[in-house]
Amino acid sequence: MYPKPSPSLTPNTYAFESSPMVKATGFREYDARWLFGKEINLMGIQALGLGLGTLLHEMGVKPELATGHDYRSYSASIKYALVTGLMAAGVRVKDIGLALSPMAYFAQFELDCAAVAMVTASHNDNGWTGVKMGAQRPVTFGPDEMGRLRDIVLEGRFKYRDGGSYQFIENFPARYIADLTNRPKIKRKLKVVAACGNGTAGAFAPQVLEKLGCEVVPLDVDLDYTFPRYNPNPEDMEMLHAMAAKVREVGADVGLGFDGDGDRCGVVDNNGDEIFADKIGVMLARDLAKLHKNPTFVVDVKSTGLFATDPVLRELGVTADYWKTGHSYIKRRVTDLKALAGFEKSGHFFFNAPVGRGYDDGILTAIHVIDMLDRNPTKTMADLYAALPKTWGSPTMSPHCADEVKYGIVDKVTAHFTDMHKKGEKLLGQKITDVITVNGVRVMVEDGTWGLVRASSNKPELVVVVESPAAEARMREMFKAVDGVLRQYPEVGEYNQTI
């Protein structure tokens, strides 16, 4: 049998090259993430593949799986190690090569594969690796499947089977691009900045936008796995600022930025102002609700309260369902509710039938933004943004907190605000009107100002977001109050960015 993985091994030793290493914390709520070489080795990846194959058979899923890898120096080798484990478990693997995560999800449909395993660290810094997995298209694994997979791998409960095979699917990206562009071109002349942070999307996003009829201004589209300018993450202000500068420089109508594996999209308007993804979601919800009667939209708890309070959305009969943050959670909720779309503040957008297949695709999100502009030929992106009710919101702010303790810290913060609410205590001098605990804690006061604390699902961090419809000062007061609670715990470190 394949050896049972160890939680840690020393690199450059016999044991490291002859035994699997898998740190338990890499099995996260809805995908897997490790620091390669420090928390997992290639034999550990092979064990993951063997465990995933074992799980697919246990689930009664047809053992056919689509796989691909993102553009990092080590991703291909990790994918091949994963494939050997899958084949040993009797899985027939179809490899689409260098790909975006949504391209792998598309492959499930296009190649008629029940399962998917996309090797990507998404927007995480270099050194990280991971796998996004699913066995019921278009949804991906949630806590139950990830917990079972963790137990199989860490306890070495692998089951070898015959019948495994490997097939490389030549030029698969062309099929994905054709699927997105086999439609009429836009009527409006649009100049679009396509920013890719030297990540995988640079190989695909610009040509899709060009095929739709856009004039494309490329920004950091050459593939370079050192990420020389910034990490490809359109939720980080560094990337958004670079996009904004290019939009102003060339006089573009909009800037569109894609993360490392292309399942998220960030937006900058024609004035060079960054629009957080939750506000883009409200704008798209307004646009789509005019075309599809009384739609339901699923929204993550990090997102603006406008989905529930915007008078235009109310008039259009929109139902807003606030749910757990995380691409797997929102994706599954969209499917379960048959919602028209789902929106996450991180930029994961999920367009369901008839406007998508239900999975997150940053390039499809960009297409919906372009179509919105095309349907509003007399309005700029800034005009559409200005039409929203004004709120002041923070970016996603993430203080460091070790994986082993972060959930416990969030439980304590949740108990703190829940207890304040029960006792009728005031926050920011106002009555607490709502405490949502579906994913961490989101606490709101009378004037609509709210703050959120939750545990990051894919990094050793907490997540903090604040928003106020009343004033910027109120937003900052909420951040000070929330941070004041967090500072009671020495395990909570420095933020990656703050307001």
Side-chain angles (χ1 to χ4, degrees), residues 376-388:
N376 293 273
T378 63
K379 295 181 179 179
T380 65
M381 195 73 194
D383 291 336
L384 294 172
Y385 182 39
L388 299 182

Side-chain angles (χ1 to χ4, degrees), residues 66-126:
T67 190
H69 69 280
D70 67 3
Y71 194 76
R72 295 177 188 253
S73 61
Y74 43 83
S75 290
S77 60
I78 286 170
K79 181 184 69 178
Y80 294 131
L82 183 75
V83 167
T84 59
L86 286 163
M87 291 171 61
V91 177
R92 298 185 290 277
V93 178
K94 297 181 180 181
D95 181 6
I96 63 173
L98 180 66
L100 305 172
S101 288
M103 199 179 293
Y105 303 148
F106 170 67
Q108 285 181 275
F109 291 86
E110 180 73 5
L111 304 177
D112 193 24
C113 291
V116 65
M118 174 67 191
V119 173
T120 177
S122 187
H123 63 277
N124 285 27
D125 298 332
N126 263 327

Side-chain angles (χ1 to χ4, degrees), residues 16 96 154 161 201 211 258 264 299 316 337 439 472:
F16 191 86
I96 63 173
L154 297 183
R161 283 183 173 85
K211 285 178 180 290
F258 305 93
R264 294 189 297 130
V299 188
L316 290 168
L337 296 183
N439 186 207
E472 180 180 357

Side-chain angles (χ1 to χ4, degrees), residues 85-348:
L86 286 163
M87 291 171 61
V91 177
R92 298 185 290 277
V93 178
K94 297 181 180 181
D95 181 6
I96 63 173
L98 180 66
L100 305 172
S101 288
M103 199 179 293
Y105 303 148
F106 170 67
Q108 285 181 275
F109 291 86
E110 180 73 5
L111 304 177
D112 193 24
C113 291
V116 65
M118 174 67 191
V119 173
T120 177
S122 187
H123 63 277
N124 285 27
D125 298 332
N126 263 327
W128 286 92
T129 190
V131 186
K132 294 180 178 179
M133 295 161 278
Q136 184 188 359
R137 60 193 183 198
V139 301
T140 41
F141 283 174
D144 291 343
E145 296 92 345
M146 289 305 301
R148 179 59 187 147
L149 177 61
R150 178 198 61 224
D151 293 345
I152 291 170
V153 173
L154 297 183
E155 295 168 15
R157 297 181 181 178
F158 310 115
K159 291 185 179 179
Y160 288 95
R161 283 183 173 85
D162 294 331
S165 64
Y166 173 85
Q167 179 185 6
F168 183 79
I169 309 299
E170 189 175 4
N171 202 24
F172 185 80
R175 294 159 74 167
Y176 166 78
I177 291 169
D179 182 71
L180 291 175
T181 59
N182 185 20
R183 44 155 285 173
K185 290 187 176 183
I186 60 172
K187 298 181 179 67
R188 185 174 178 179
K189 186 177 180 181
L190 291 174
K191 181 184 286 188
V192 178
V193 170
C196 301
N198 303 108
T200 321
F204 312 110
Q207 59 177 301
V208 169
L209 298 175
E210 286 176 351
K211 285 178 180 290
L212 294 175
C214 298
E215 178 188 347
V216 176
V217 179
L219 177 65
D220 303 320
V221 300
D222 294 332
L223 300 190
D224 185 341
Y225 48 57
T226 67
F227 305 142
R229 292 198 62 203
Y230 45 77
N231 212 42
N233 182 4
E235 199 175 11
D236 284 352
M237 299 309 295
E238 190 173 6
M239 183 172 184
L240 287 169
H241 288 335
M243 291 164 57
K246 179 57 78 171
V247 165
R248 288 190 289 264
E249 175 192 334
V250 302
D253 295 289
V254 67
L256 301 168
F258 305 93
D259 73 334
D261 65 332
D263 56 11
R264 294 189 297 130
C265 179
V267 181
V268 168
D269 72 17
N270 51 293
N271 293 331
D273 292 327
E274 303 99 350
I275 308 177
F276 292 142
D278 54 349
K279 297 292 181 68
I280 294 296
V282 175
M283 294 159 69
L284 290 175
R286 282 182 163 194
D287 184 59
L288 291 170
K290 294 172 184 175
L291 304 174
H292 305 275
K293 191 176 180 180
N294 299 324
T296 294
F297 296 109
V298 178
V299 188
D300 83 317
V301 294
K302 286 164 55 181
S303 290
T304 176
L306 287 178
F307 286 99
T309 62
D310 175 37
V312 173
L313 292 183
R314 284 184 166 185
E315 186 179 341
L316 290 168
V318 166
T319 299
D321 179 76
Y322 281 86
W323 196 240
K324 299 177 183 180
T325 292
H327 66 86
S328 271
Y329 292 131
I330 302 296
K331 194 160 19 187
R332 188 174 295 272
R333 188 74 168 174
V334 166
T335 297
D336 290 347
L337 296 183
K338 295 182 172 58
L340 183 62
F343 303 107
E344 274 197 281
K345 185 177 173 65
S346 64
H348 283 280

